Amino acid sequence: MPLMNIENSLNGSLMILNQFKWLIDSYVLDFYTEEHWNRLPKIWKAMLEQVEPEILIDLFKLESDSSRDQIVWPLSLICLRSLVQKLNISRHNQYVDKKHLQLEPMCYRHVKLKNAFRKRIKPKKLHEIERMAALCSKTATDCHVEYVLDFGAGLGHLARVLGYGYGLNVCCLEQQKRLSDEAKLIDENLYRTACKFLECDEIKRLRRPVHLNVQLTESTDTESLLNQISECFNIPNDKRDKLTFGIVGLHPCGDLAAILLNVFLKCKEAKFINIAGCCYMKMTDSSFPLSNYLRRHSLSHLSYEAKEISCHHQEIYVQRLADRNYDHLMIHSYRASIEKIISKYWPQLKHVGLKSIKHSPGLTFSDYCSRATSHLRIVISEDEISSANVERDLRCWKKIVIFYTLRLMLAPLVESVILYDRMLFVSEKHHCVQSEALFDPVISPRNVVMTAVKRC
């Protein structure tokens, strides 16, 4: 993606987020205490109050459903929806067709072997592993790279598909030794299983992952790290300067994504990087902004609340709206109502963490209060729970759904700003970079993967 296009998209995104800063910086639990509804444009409120919650799905689409053409949306809301869709990095379409990726690695050629590799891996993780492995294989081939560093490797599921499935030499970097030890046992067992089903020439192509326990921080000495990696790969000192590798991070949490990008830029041996975003609200100021361009921008700050909403699962929410699953949506009203009570009688407990209560059939507000505050030394009286004010608030649950929907509509724009900043950070060093949807957003909410390749 050209540098100027990234800057233009970033500027437009920041202008919108700044205009609606109060909205993305607001919590649903403060809906009643802060009177959020009164801050929405009057024309929006007048129209939105008249529609059923499932109609709000249109706010996540480029065009309204033709069966609902009788609904006239405020022009300002239509324009906002259009701009958000135009400026954000799409979470859809691309993941459907990945013909350029080889999604059937060598280790899947026998059904029993394929099942062995997939054993005890959750569907979401499996979906991500298989597509990320295929992308890394293609990128490694394009860059003429045989080595890959898997940061935050965990139990090494991704590394095994890369090593046993695509013949790449993989070093698993993991902070927890317990996970690495378990990964080594799985490596050995799967290698033995693979040898039972593959031909001799295929067995020779298998590459067992190597493992290194290390905690990567901003102050990590990259030269020392590369020496440790070379030792793991048994690369002689006289051939150390010929080591070239790619970096993969499958949902690096918090600051780790920024750290990996810095490792990629600092190490001349690093030829590519593939990373999928995760847990943006855990980033510190050292991770955003990264680019020189955004560091100079007056609107570059993103609050914790903004980064937190960017991680919410938009597709599942849309499905709940479509299914008219109102009971699940009403739980937001329960949380906001109890926050109003707590702020009134126990102001020192404002925004205190309550127990997470999932909706269940017949769950009353009284039950919710009792279970959500069971760990606190407070007792909410039945008189308060059944008061006229509380009953009035609970009847306004649709307004909370509308408010949350508007925040969620803007959420992809927040994630896009973070990703645009990372793309600019790499582009400013004159390297090639792009971001695209690699995973199904219904299965994997953080489905956009950023790929950067150094120019030859």
Side-chain angles (χ1 to χ4, degrees):
M1 189 173 183
L3 186 64
M4 184 172 293
N5 288 355
I6 300 176
E7 292 177 353
N8 290 338
S9 296
L10 182 57
N11 287 334
S13 301
L14 287 172
M15 287 180 62
I16 293 176
L17 293 180
N18 186 62
Q19 182 177 352
F20 293 94
K21 180 176 173 56
W22 75 270
L23 183 58
I24 62 170
D25 288 353
S26 300
Y27 276 134
V28 172
L29 63 86
D30 290 326
F31 185 80
Y32 298 125
T33 59
E34 303 293 335
E35 298 183 343
H36 289 329
W37 182 255
N38 293 334
R39 300 193 64 179
L40 292 174
K42 291 182 179 180
I43 191 172
W44 291 13
K45 292 190 293 183
M47 183 271 167
L48 292 170
E49 283 184 297
Q50 305 304 315
V51 303
E52 291 302 310
E54 66 268 20
I55 305 299
L56 299 174
I57 294 174
D58 284 355
L59 295 180
F60 300 99
K61 299 178 180 179
L62 283 172
E63 297 179 357
S64 297
D65 192 323
S66 58
S67 65
R68 298 196 289 261
D69 283 343
Q70 70 274 18
I71 297 175
V72 180
W73 294 93
L75 182 58
S76 57
L77 192 53
I78 294 175
C79 290
L80 177 60
R81 179 187 62 184
S82 178
L83 284 172
V84 170
Q85 295 284 352
K86 178 180 179 181
L87 292 169
N88 69 25
I89 296 173
S90 176
R91 295 162 48 77
H92 305 276
N93 300 326
Q94 297 101 317
Y95 80 89
V96 176
D97 182 13
K98 291 295 178 187
K99 293 180 180 179
H100 63 289
L101 297 180
Q102 178 190 348
L103 294 174
E104 279 292 315
M106 180 174 58
C107 57
Y108 281 12
R109 291 179 185 173
H110 192 287
V111 63
K112 290 187 177 180
L113 184 56
K114 182 176 183 178
N115 291 337
F117 272 85
R118 292 179 163 186
K119 188 177 181 180
R120 291 187 297 180
I121 304 178
K122 294 180 180 180
K124 172 182 179 295
K125 190 72 173 179
L126 182 62
H127 174 79
E128 295 169 347
I129 286 171
E130 292 177 342
R131 285 180 169 263
M132 180 65 94
L135 176 63
C136 286
S137 174
K138 180 182 184 302
T139 316
T141 299
D142 294 343
C143 296
H144 307 289
V145 167
E146 297 179 3
Y147 295 89
V148 174
L149 310 184
D150 181 9
F151 286 88
L155 293 176
H157 296 306
L158 172 61
R160 278 184 289 278
V161 177
L162 287 170
Y164 294 156
Y166 293 102
L168 291 167
N169 298 289
V170 187
C171 180
C172 297
L173 294 101
E174 172 55 49
Q175 181 178 343
Q176 300 183 52
K177 186 176 184 300
R178 175 184 60 83
L179 295 179
S180 295
D181 291 342
E182 187 174 347
K184 292 175 185 177
L185 292 176
I186 301 174
D187 293 346
E188 177 63 24
N189 291 334
L190 280 180
Y191 182 82
R192 290 177 181 175
T193 303
C195 289
K196 295 178 182 179
F197 300 102
L198 299 179
E199 301 294 334
C200 290
D201 61 330
E202 292 178 320
I203 295 175
K204 292 179 181 179
R205 291 170 54 195
L206 299 179
R207 297 291 182 268
R208 187 178 304 183
V210 298
H211 298 265
L212 178 62
N213 291 120
V214 61
Q215 181 180 8
L216 197 65
T217 67
E218 295 175 14
S219 59
T220 297
D221 179 61
T222 54
E223 188 63 27
S224 174
L225 177 65
L226 292 181
N227 286 333
Q228 294 180 69
I229 293 169
S230 297
E231 290 178 8
C232 286
F233 283 131
N234 293 318
I235 298 176
N237 290 334
D238 60 338
K239 294 184 179 180
R240 161 71 174 75
D241 60 343
K242 294 183 180 180
L243 170 67
T244 59
F245 58 84
I247 295 173
V248 58
L250 184 53
H251 298 313
C253 187
D255 291 335
L256 184 54
I259 292 173
L260 294 185
L261 286 173
N262 274 297
V263 171
F264 169 71
L265 295 175
K266 287 179 181 177
C267 299
K268 66 180 186 303
E269 298 89 346
K271 300 304 179 183
F272 74 84
I273 182 171
N274 290 319
I275 56 172
C278 177
C279 300
Y280 301 123
M281 65 283 194
K282 294 183 180 180
M283 296 189 308
T284 64
D285 291 342
S286 63
S287 293
F288 182 86
L290 290 173
S291 64
N292 292 328
Y293 180 84
L294 199 53
R295 286 177 183 272
R296 298 190 298 265
H297 206 295
S298 60
L299 306 178
S300 62
H301 177 72
L302 289 177
S303 67
Y304 175 90
E305 294 85 354
K307 289 181 282 190
E308 193 267 343
I309 189 66
S310 74
C311 293
H312 283 214
H313 204 320
Q314 190 179 80
E315 287 72 24
I316 292 298
Y317 181 73
V318 167
Q319 189 59 55
R320 285 179 177 173
L321 289 175
D323 293 342
R324 301 185 181 185
N325 202 341
Y326 296 160
D327 289 341
H328 283 279
L329 301 178
M330 290 174 68
I331 206 77
H332 292 298
S333 180
Y334 282 4
R335 180 62 184 92
S337 295
I338 200 173
E339 182 67 20
K340 185 176 179 180
I341 295 172
I342 290 174
S343 297
K344 178 181 178 181
Y345 294 103
W346 302 278
Q348 73 278 11
L349 296 180
K350 182 178 174 65
H351 288 181
V352 69
L354 302 184
K355 287 191 175 181
S356 179
I357 309 299
K358 292 185 178 180
H359 172 266
S360 58
L363 178 69
T364 66
F365 182 58
S366 179
D367 293 335
Y368 177 87
C369 289
S370 177
R371 293 163 59 183
T373 62
S374 60
H375 63 300
L376 303 176
R377 295 181 178 179
I378 64 174
V379 177
I380 302 176
S381 69
E382 284 298 325
D383 287 341
E384 183 66 33
I385 289 173
S386 60
S387 67
N389 286 337
V390 170
E391 290 184 355
R392 183 195 63 230
D393 289 342
L394 292 177
R395 287 195 297 270
C396 293
W397 66 269
K398 288 185 180 180
K399 291 182 178 179
I400 290 188
V401 171
I402 293 168
F403 178 79
Y404 179 70
T405 301
L406 292 171
R407 291 191 74 227
L408 200 57
M409 181 181 69
L410 293 169
L413 213 55
V414 180
E415 180 177 29
S416 295
V417 164
I418 296 170
L419 297 179
Y420 284 141
D421 174 56
R422 293 176 180 178
M423 294 171 70
L424 276 177
F425 182 53
V426 173
S427 295
E428 288 170 347
K429 306 300 188 296
H430 309 293
H431 302 310
C432 301
V433 62
Q434 66 175 12
S435 290
E436 66 172 358
L438 184 66
F439 313 134
D440 183 338
V442 175
I443 299 174
S444 179
R446 307 276 63 75
N447 71 323
V448 175
V449 172
M450 173 180 161
T451 296
V453 175
K454 289 181 178 175
R455 299 181 188 274
C456 298

